[in-house]
Amino acid sequence: MQGAGWDAIVVGAGASGLGAARALADAGARVLILEARDRIGGRMWTDETSMSIPIERGAELVHGSDVSTWELIRAQGLQTHRMERSFGRLTAGTPWIDALTFDSYRFPLGAPALPDPLPASTPGETARSWLTRIGVSRENTPVALAAVEIDSEQFDRLPAREIRELVSTIVASGSRPGSDPLPPELRGDHRVIGGYRQVLQPLAKGIPIALGCRVHTIEYGANGAEVHASTGSFAARTVVVALPAGVLQHGDVVFDPPLPPARRDALREIVQLPVFKALLEFDRPVLAAAHPARPAWDMLSTFSQDPPCLWNASAGTPGFAGEIVVSWMTGDRAQELLDLPESERFSAALESVRVSSGSPDLEPIRASTYDWSKDPLARGAYAGPFLPDRSVVDPSEGSLFWAGLTPDTIHESRDSGVRAAAQALAALR
């Protein structure tokens, strides 16, 4: 393969790299993928050996009913499970709220007298500071607003600009009946039965992939590039770098010539969000007999717990009698959990399951967790809400292109690869 003279080399076989490679190959380009792992997928990792059914150590959910991932799902006829039974509550002593209705937009202590219009945030103002300033207390936070912390930073660190639009929507929804379902675009989480990894397989079909090939140096210029890796050197007219931002920040790949200072600064500004994900397998369904989410559930969130969010990672799996529960948290408090010994992490996850399920005697038969920040080929789970100038993904010297640096979903990662491929194809022409 070293002497093939490729049109494009894609470095990294995660969702962004495979998205780029597929688009390039479909346009007739000669493409080679270099991947350091012994598998494709990157931070999409379906583990088929740790528990009774396949589990996802990384990305798990399809976020949305009309995102680009669906063309891959439908083309293969994959079975999916829509997460339609979702409930949240602020503390263990408050009622469960159907998170997929406008009840989740209600202020639990009654709507406060908010300014009209809502004021803009000041530079550097946090979400918590802004909410306090406009009169929204922790105890009077709508469930839909509290849920922002599940996949982002906590409000004492999250920029206020990240929640202002949602608060405006919550205020505007005050006249709607609480039992009305949320719009379809807000009800769109799905799981792929049998493993998320199936989604990426068509993207890799027919494209040469060198697994176990860890890239360490990329020489690039106006006339092409040469990629040096653990298994040899490879020449191409263009290169798409589809590596996690954490890997580039750590200096695991050397660029010759060095990247311009502005790009290096932009890369350094990408903050990797701490993510805690533990999976617990139980030999029976976890909900207590009187739980309002029975007979089936998809997601439960008790926001006073750390971790607060649980989802049913086995719902819809044919023939499986037990339940696999994911416990989930992001942000600074997730880092506090990650810093604990593994046994204490599992204890925190189990306590959250017991509190939210109403079953204090639960004991898992298997448990698993993974810290992506400790993975040398990832160095982080995904980018947080503090993103740099988007110019971080602009092409370099007409031969070096970038994908997957800032997305936090599979479909956005794949789409970023498609965009990088379009830029590379324009250069090839």
Side-chain angles (χ1 to χ4, degrees):
M1 287 189 288
Q2 284 91 334
W6 305 92
D7 292 322
I9 290 173
V10 176
V11 182
S16 58
L18 292 174
R22 183 77 271 154
L24 286 161
D26 287 350
R30 296 165 297 164
V31 185
L32 171 67
I33 303 172
L34 307 180
E35 169 55 50
R37 300 184 191 274
D38 60 1
R39 59 173 179 83
I40 66 170
R43 288 167 289 183
M44 178 197 278
W45 177 15
T46 302
D47 178 355
E48 300 187 72
T49 62
S50 296
M51 295 191 177
S52 299
I53 61 173
I55 60 170
E56 307 296 344
R57 291 190 173 275
E60 181 158 359
L61 304 178
V62 181
H63 296 292
S65 299
D66 58 356
V67 296
S68 59
T69 313
W70 283 100
E71 67 186 66
L72 302 171
I73 293 172
R74 294 185 179 113
Q76 299 177 81
L78 300 178
Q79 182 183 356
T80 60
H81 174 79
R82 182 168 180 162
M83 301 177 72
E84 295 187 297
R85 298 278 293 168
S86 180
F87 297 83
R89 59 182 180 176
L90 292 183
T91 70
T94 55
W96 286 105
I97 303 296
D98 187 335
L100 299 183
T101 69
F102 278 97
D103 274 335
S104 67
Y105 279 37
R106 299 293 175 258
F107 292 91
L109 303 180
L114 300 178
D116 185 17
L118 293 175
S121 59
T122 59
E125 188 171 22
T126 67
R128 175 53 58 203
S129 175
W130 183 77
L131 288 171
T132 300
R133 179 157 66 91
I134 68 173
V136 179
S137 67
R138 295 176 186 271
E139 298 76 18
N140 200 24
T141 301
V143 163
L145 181 58
V148 171
E149 291 185 314
I150 288 177
D151 291 320
S152 191
E153 260 294 356
Q154 277 71 61
F155 286 166
D156 58 1
R157 187 153 184 259
L158 185 73
R161 65 177 183 270
E162 299 289 329
I163 64 166
R164 188 180 183 280
E165 182 178 351
L166 174 58
V167 175
S168 297
T169 302
I170 288 171
V171 172
S173 72
S175 61
R176 297 205 51 157
S179 58
D180 278 5
L182 294 177
E185 63 269 18
L186 300 178
R187 301 168 54 88
D189 283 342
H190 301 74
R191 289 178 43 259
V192 178
I193 303 301
Y196 209 169
R197 63 172 176 77
Q198 302 169 96
V199 170
L200 297 184
Q201 290 172 343
L203 297 180
K205 187 175 181 180
I207 301 176
I209 303 177
L211 297 175
C213 180
R214 190 164 182 169
V215 170
H216 56 77
T217 305
I218 298 176
E219 299 178 44
Y220 67 100
N223 297 320
E226 189 163 358
V227 180
H228 305 284
S230 57
T231 58
S233 297
F234 308 85
R237 294 170 61 195
T238 62
V239 173
V240 176
V241 179
L243 296 173
V247 170
L248 298 174
Q249 290 170 333
H250 196 260
D252 296 328
V253 177
V254 174
F255 293 90
D256 184 11
L259 298 175
R263 187 180 298 274
R264 295 200 302 269
D265 290 344
L267 283 170
R268 279 193 292 266
E269 290 174 10
I270 300 173
V271 176
Q272 298 298 300
L273 189 68
V275 172
F276 174 83
K277 181 179 185 180
L279 298 97
L280 305 176
E281 180 176 351
F282 300 91
D283 60 5
R284 59 185 173 88
V286 302
L287 295 188
H291 200 288
R294 284 179 67 92
W297 69 283
D298 292 308
M299 186 172 288
L300 299 173
S301 298
T302 301
F303 295 106
S304 59
Q305 293 292 128
D306 285 347
C309 180
L310 310 173
W311 68 75
N312 188 340
S314 52
T317 302
F320 183 61
E323 278 186 347
I324 294 177
V325 179
V326 168
S327 62
W328 173 267
M329 188 174 198
T330 60
D332 283 354
R333 295 212 302 270
Q335 187 61 57
E336 293 174 8
L337 291 172
L338 292 170
D339 290 340
L340 296 173
E342 188 175 81
S343 61
E344 294 182 34
R345 283 182 255 161
F346 288 137
S347 294
L350 178 57
E351 179 62 16
S352 183
V353 177
R354 287 172 171 172
V355 168
S356 286
S357 68
S359 302
D361 60 339
L362 284 173
E363 290 291 345
I365 59 173
R366 295 179 184 87
S368 181
T369 188
Y370 195 76
D371 183 353
W372 286 97
S373 71
K374 300 294 194 298
D375 184 325
L377 300 181
R379 302 194 186 277
Y382 56 81
F386 312 100
L387 297 181
D389 188 321
R390 295 291 181 175
S391 64
V392 71
V393 296
D394 288 346
S396 304
E397 293 290 333
S399 60
L400 196 59
F401 303 88
W402 306 85
L405 292 175
T406 59
D408 58 4
T409 65
I410 292 298
H411 68 268
E412 289 173 333
S413 294
R414 186 269 185 106
D415 293 348
S416 78
V418 172
R419 286 192 295 272
Q423 295 170 334
L425 286 168
L428 289 169
R429 296 190 190 102

